[in-house]
Amino acid sequence: MIDITIKGDKITIFMEGVLDDIKRINLPAQDLKGKKIHLLADQIDSWNTPFVAELYGILKNTPKENITFESLPNGMERLLKLAFQTGNTPHTNTNKRLGFLERVGEKGIIFCRSVKKGCIFIHQCLISWKRQLMGKAVYRSKDFWLVLADCGPKAILIVALISFMVGLILAFVGALQLKTFGAQIYVASLVTIGMTRIMGAIMTGIIMAGRTGASYAASIGTMQVNEELDALQTMGISKTDFLVLPRMNALLLSMPILILLSDIMGILGGCFVCVLFWDIPLAEYVKYAINSFDMTNFLVGVFHGMVFGLVIAFCGCYFGVNCGRNADSVGTATTKAVVYGIVWMIVMTGLITLACEMVGI
Amino acid sequence: MNQNPIIHVEDLAIGYDDNTIMKNLTFDVQKGDIFIIMGGSGCGKSTLLRTLTGLIPPQNGQIYIQGVEMGEATNSQRLEIMKHMGILYQSGALFSSMTLGENVALPLQQYTKYTQNKIRDIVAFKLALVGLAGFENYYPSEISGGMRKRAGLARALALDPEIVYFDEPSAGLDPISSKNLDDLILQINKSLGTTIIVVTHELPSLFAIGKNSIFLDKTIQTISAKGNPKELLKNPPNKQVYEFLTRGASHEKRTK
């Protein structure tokens, strides 16, 4: 039972029986201003911390000299005194809550700063490229080979599998439509043109953004957490030389090869569906696929892939280098590297398609 | 007193973006000194170290290293100064993809034209100096925290720097490893004449090695005491310094 008696400026809170988390103290904190609180207990059967926490929540703004204890269970009194030991003015968050316009302005400033940071990073990358061409860039060839192995041979299986499946889906969906015109055989052309022109590059790009871009951001971000980037900077070694160049070079080199593989696997996937499900003879499929293969389409696909390689490496390295100094920031950097990598890949696809249209390719 | 300090800091303000952590910092570090930057947690010791080493720009004031004002230094002057400066980071900051030997060799490859054999000899020698002879082919993940710090020190010493900065060298080390590292710092200072700047709040460490110090006071956002740590303990200039150097002993009791 809890009984509250108010006499003038003295409030007595009488407690007895079972004091647990179900018990409520009906005393608004604001009513206690300037009052003396007397906590009185008698025959307490049991009590628990949630009850004491509620009591503290009500009393926390009362000066501790205004609170007196009488016959409280030893543990309960000690616990309350401990909570009040640092004074009873709990720290209040002084951060002002921003209004709508201020928040919009703040976001705008953050956006402008990140655009500026991005431009500075691109500038540093270009300087490193220039230094590389002049043979002055500082990075270890061993690092380049390690990164190349990671984003080349180790990515073959996943790229091959996904591209095969995409070719398969493309052929299946395409054939369903073309069948209504009795033109299933053109599935071979559909898959060949689709894969070589853009699908091979996009699928490879998305796989590499998720696989390699994320890995770049995570590894460089962890270096930031471990102060390795600071160590590089104070050794006078350029971060873009040492970390970004080998990664960009490796992706630039491996993307065309992976795209070639992706194209072949996609066409094979289409072949699988056509031969097994749509009863198109293998020789017919091969003939139509070869006839519809166009070198320009293939080269446009490879060009897309190289641009995607640059975008993925840039996003991975940029978010890694600008990562915060805790584990959570590494996760954020990794996510951003993948999301921005894919978004910028799609933007670049649009731009390249537009440029190809204008040139007439 | 030497009139040409190796580091001269004048009216320095440090912080991140618009947030000033410390201001009006003026102090000198003499050549061959072991200089302690001390203060409570979060007072800006590491930020001051990052500013001194050029990792973050000062908000105000000047830093002169070997007579060169860092804000006005050309790129080549800055590189020359970096060449003469080694840093041991809190975590050791070894590159995890490289062996200890490769880590120590990196600054040598960057700044010297030594042959591979010569570099290999120097690396073996520097690792031996910090008690890690024969550990060239180990990766940082294969050794203990104390050994990683020693290896980080070997890398910091690779170019025979004139100034070596230590950021919380005792952090994360057991008392014995911490003492061994203090002994190593003293030996390096004594044998090589290296100027050493240590950021720490470890009392045994700062009393054992410190020749000079500054105390950064969070409440007034500037230096509230300068001098030898032991002298500061004998004659504390204020309550904060006394409480810090005595692990929170009551200043009032002392003054009674």
Side-chain angles (χ1 to χ4, degrees), chain A residues 80-118:
Chain A
L80 279 167
K81 282 183 176 165
L82 190 65
F84 282 110
Q85 67 169 343
T86 50
N88 42 6
T89 44
H91 175 74
T92 44
N93 193 349
T94 48
N95 281 352
K96 209 179 106 197
R97 199 176 150 77
L98 295 178
F100 174 73
L101 276 179
E102 287 167 311
R103 268 182 288 156
V104 171
E106 196 184 26
K107 293 274 177 214
I109 292 169
I110 292 171
F111 176 75
C112 291
R113 278 188 187 153
S114 51
V115 169
K116 187 181 163 194
K117 260 162 104 177

Side-chain angles (χ1 to χ4, degrees), chain B residues 29-47:
Chain B
V29 181
Q30 304 299 337
K31 198 169 167 23
D33 202 357
I34 299 183
F35 190 85
I36 311 282
I37 299 170
M38 58 185 176
S41 297
C43 72
K45 303 185 295 289
S46 293
T47 309

Side-chain angles (χ1 to χ4, degrees), chain A residues 142 226 230 234-235 325, chain B residues 50 87 89 91 94 102 111:
Chain A
K142 190 180 163 187
N226 291 341
D230 289 347
T234 45
M235 270 187 225
R325 290 175 183 271
Chain B
R50 288 169 63 78
I87 304 163
Y89 291 91
S91 59
L94 295 169
E102 288 169 337
Y111 287 113

Side-chain angles (χ1 to χ4, degrees), chain A residues 113 138 140 142-143 146 223 225-238 242 325, chain B residues 50 53-55 79 82 87 89-91 93-96 98 102 106-107 110-111 139 155 167:
Chain A
R113 278 188 187 153
V138 183
R140 301 185 322 146
K142 190 180 163 187
D143 284 344
L146 280 175
M223 289 177 81
V225 176
N226 291 341
E227 300 176 301
E228 291 171 46
L229 296 189
D230 289 347
L232 268 186
Q233 198 177 330
T234 45
M235 270 187 225
I237 297 174
S238 157
F242 200 76
R325 290 175 183 271
Chain B
R50 288 169 63 78
T53 53
L55 285 170
L79 272 180
M82 282 176 169
I87 304 163
Y89 291 91
Q90 228 177 89
S91 59
L94 295 169
F95 300 112
S96 48
M98 300 181 196
E102 288 169 337
L106 193 64
Q110 164 74 357
Y111 287 113
Y139 280 92
R155 186 179 65 188
D167 188 8

